[in-house]
Structures are given as C-alpha cells and as structure tokens.
Amino acid sequence: MDPFIRDLPKAELHMHIEGSLEPELMFQLAQRNDIELPYGSVEEIRAAYEFSNLQDFLDIYYAGAGVLQTEQDFYDMTWAYLERAKADTVRHVEIFFDPQTHTDRGIAFETVVTGIHRALVDGRDELGISFRLILCFLRHLSAEAAMHTLEMALPYREWITAVGLDSSEVGHPPEKFRDVFDRARAEGFLTVAHAGEEGPPAYIEQALDLLHVERIDHGVRCLEDDALVERLREAQVPLTVCPLSNVKLRVFDRIEGHNLAHLMARGLKVTVNSDDPSYFGGYVGANYEAVANGLGLAREDLVTLARNSFEASFLSDEDKAAYVAEVEAYAAERS
Ligand code: HPA
Ligand code: ZN
C-alpha cells in the first residue's frame, strides 16, 4: 500500500463488526465451538464469497456469524479488526453491531455487547484507538422486533452511542422504524441509517426527516436528486461511503465508475469506509487506495477525506480538533 495512505491518520465510521470476521477466524471459532460449517476449509469459505448483490451477500454474512457463541468470540473478532485498523493508522472507530443476528439464535445481548465493548476498551488502552459503538436494527425484521432490541440495549446505554439501520434496504424504508427511532432519541441515542445504497433518494430524505439521522450510511444514490444534494451540502450531512463494498455488490460496476469524486465535487461531506472488510476485499486503507487509483484523487483529496472522517464522527469538538490537527500536521510534513 502507498505509505502516504497507510500512514494518514483516519477514522472509520461505517464498519459492521460481523463483516470483519475473516475466514481463518470463522474456521477457528467453528472448531472451538463444535459448529458444523458447510465449508471444509478456509479456502472453501473464501471461494463462497461470490455475491453480486446485497441480498446474496447478506445470506452468507448471517450464516458466517453463526460461529459466534461466547463473549470471548465477540472479543476475538473485535480485537482482530482493531489490529487491522491499527495497521492502517486508524485512530478512531465507530463500529456497528447487529444484535438481532445473535439474539435470534439464542445468544444473550449481554454476551455480544460485553465481548465487543471489552475489546474496544483494550484497543483504546493498548492500541490507542478511540471508539464509539452503534447498534444496528435489521430492517428486514419488524419494527416491533427493533423496539424489543432497543429495550434490551437500555441497560448498556453508556456503551452505545447511536442506533442505525442495516440489512435489505429496498422494501424496508426508514419510515417503518420511525417510532423506534423516536424512542431511541428520547432515550439519548444519536441516530444514523443506511440509505441510498440500493434504495432510492427518497429513503435518504425519509432518514433525515423521520429518523433525524446525524449521518447517512452510503447515500451514493443522492446524486439522482439535485434538491437532495443541495440539502445534504447545505447541512453538511456526512455520507459514509464504502467504495469496495459498492463495487462488490454492483452498486457501481467498477471502481473507475464510482461517484465518490462527484460527491466531493458537489461539496458533500464524504468519508471513506470498509463496510464489511472480510467480505468486500479490503480494510479502510485499501478503500482509500482504490479510490485514489481508480478515480485519480490527489493527495489533498485524500487529506480532505481523512479530515472529514474525524469531523463527521461522534467525538467531542475538542477531540475532533486534536485529530484534525494530527491530519494537518501529517499533510504539512509531506507536502
Ligand atoms: N448494507 C446493508 N446491510 C449491511 C451491510 C450493507 O452494506 N453490511 C452489513 N449489513
Ligand atoms: Zn453497511
């Protein structure tokens, strides 16, 4: 990897922790927990990652998460991600977890959240990576199930900064979760939502108007609606864009056709993220590198993306300023 990209201080704001589970660890956890996987080897798992749309990916992703049983499993998965993030000079992470993927298989909410949180604390203390945790509701399940999940999260609210919305987008618009998000905000959670990945610009509008989100996850389809672009620009609503994910799931056919440079040119607050790095072919550094090479971004564009990643985070203004100063110092030293 280009050392300039590798060493550029950055934050990652759109990463599903279950999507960081590498085949090697999946295989190891299956053995440790005596779970039968439909694959005989790590190579077979990797070979199964042949999807070209969101739903095919999600089917494999939910199956893979079935190896996670104990608090230590969630710890090990999260720790492995943090070590990868460290290698890409990620200084701050805001990661998603999908509790329903686990509670629906009989794993306690406490087991999931405690394992992840413990690894995040150790990552802060040992790797110097600050963190926030975001609970995602699975939008293909009911609003009632989401509300029940929110209630399970209330005892852990000190550990969970925000709630989000992921899984199959089309047919499950943000409005379906209006009451759940109202309750979440009343309980003190910030909100985000996946919108405008496979779904239309109207879903982005709904996420803003009905869910009052602080950021839009993906949001790349906003360019189909000029008034929406103007609104996103005016309010500087961050978009957490995931370039390699978008290519793998065929939101764009090739990286050269990705609209990230257009989003930036329209004045939008764009960030670069990995989404599900084990499944989509690269961690956050590889995503920066893909857009740098595929779209011919200049170093100053990469610096803007890194600066945006901290400014779009849920850190305090003071912490944001300190990280942005790190980015500026890094850029100045190398210009
Ligand atoms: N989109 C929707 N849901 C998801 C994704 C994604 O890219 N990754 C994990 N859950
Ligand atoms: Zn995502």
Side-chain angles (χ1 to χ4, degrees):
M1 187 183 303
D2 176 355
F4 181 82
I5 290 174
R6 186 194 59 213
D7 298 340
L8 177 63
K10 49 183 91 64
E12 176 149 61
L13 308 179
H14 183 160
M15 209 292 298
H16 304 261
I17 194 63
E18 294 88 351
S20 73
L21 185 59
E22 291 285 341
E24 287 77 11
L25 185 55
M26 190 188 294
F27 207 74
Q28 207 180 314
L29 295 181
Q31 292 189 320
R32 181 156 104 190
N33 294 324
D34 218 359
I35 287 171
E36 188 92 38
L37 275 179
Y39 314 105
S41 68
V42 166
E43 292 68 36
E44 273 184 42
I45 300 176
R46 240 178 248 291
Y49 291 0
E50 279 225 20
F51 29 76
S52 53
N53 63 60
L54 181 57
Q55 194 56 55
D56 289 352
F57 155 67
L58 290 170
D59 292 343
I60 292 179
Y61 162 87
Y62 294 132
V67 301
L68 298 158
Q69 300 284 319
T70 67
E71 184 188 314
Q72 190 63 39
D73 298 343
F74 288 92
Y75 179 98
D76 291 346
M77 171 175 65
T78 307
W79 183 258
Y81 163 68
L82 291 168
E83 287 191 315
R84 299 269 198 157
K86 174 80 179 175
D88 282 354
T89 322
V90 173
R91 305 279 290 113
H92 176 71
V93 298
E94 303 195 348
I95 64 172
F96 298 125
F97 75 119
D98 284 348
Q100 289 159 291
T101 298
H102 315 297
T103 53
D104 286 0
R105 329 179 259 118
I107 310 292
F109 188 95
E110 179 186 11
T111 300
V112 179
V113 75
T114 306
I116 295 171
H117 179 76
R118 197 157 56 78
L120 289 169
V121 168
D122 285 354
R124 180 192 64 203
D125 296 346
E126 295 173 32
L127 305 174
I129 300 174
S130 53
F131 67 87
R132 298 286 188 272
L133 183 58
I134 304 173
L135 182 164
C136 270
F137 302 114
L138 298 182
R139 67 202 304 159
H140 69 277
L141 301 178
S142 70
E144 291 70 31
M147 191 68 93
H148 179 60
T149 302
L150 176 61
E151 282 163 1
M152 288 196 283
L154 294 179
Y156 303 95
R157 79 177 88 198
E158 297 305 313
W159 293 355
I160 301 169
T161 301
V163 300
L165 207 54
D166 66 2
S167 187
S168 326
E169 186 181 1
V170 176
H172 303 286
E175 64 184 342
K176 174 175 166 185
F177 297 95
R178 185 180 191 158
D179 291 348
V180 182
F181 274 61
D182 280 349
R183 172 85 191 276
R185 281 183 289 104
E187 297 284 357
F189 295 97
L190 299 173
T191 62
V192 296
H194 284 53
E197 177 189 20
E198 291 195 334
Y203 284 21
I204 299 175
E205 269 172 353
Q206 281 188 18
L208 295 169
D209 292 332
L210 307 181
L211 307 186
H212 304 281
V213 296
E214 311 283 335
R215 302 194 289 250
I216 297 286
D217 295 314
H218 293 295
V220 291
R221 287 192 60 192
C222 71
L223 284 190
E224 295 167 30
D225 181 335
D226 280 338
L228 175 61
V229 172
E230 182 48 28
R231 177 180 181 184
L232 293 167
R233 188 197 62 76
E234 174 80 37
Q236 287 292 288
V237 177
L239 305 183
T240 62
V241 176
C242 306
L244 290 174
S245 163
N246 291 156
V247 173
K248 190 81 183 171
L249 300 183
R250 297 283 195 278
V251 176
F252 299 96
D253 285 338
R254 34 209 287 279
I255 195 73
E256 291 78 8
H258 198 286
N259 71 4
L260 177 133
H262 297 291
L263 296 168
M264 292 180 79
R266 295 288 291 272
L268 300 179
K269 199 160 199 71
V270 178
T271 66
V272 165
N273 308 272
S274 68
D275 210 3
D276 300 280
S278 164
Y279 293 89
F280 297 152
Y283 286 76
V284 66
N287 276 272
Y288 274 74
E289 185 147 69
V291 291
N293 295 337
L295 306 176
L297 298 189
R299 280 193 173 185
E300 82 184 68
D301 299 319
L302 301 172
V303 170
T304 296
L305 290 166
R307 192 190 303 112
N308 287 352
S309 73
F310 293 111
E311 288 175 349
S313 74
F314 294 141
L315 287 163
S316 68
D317 288 345
E318 196 184 347
D319 288 342
K320 285 183 192 181
Y323 279 126
V324 168
E326 240 183 78
V327 173
E328 304 298 358
Y330 177 87
E333 251 170 54
R334 282 158 190 80
S335 65

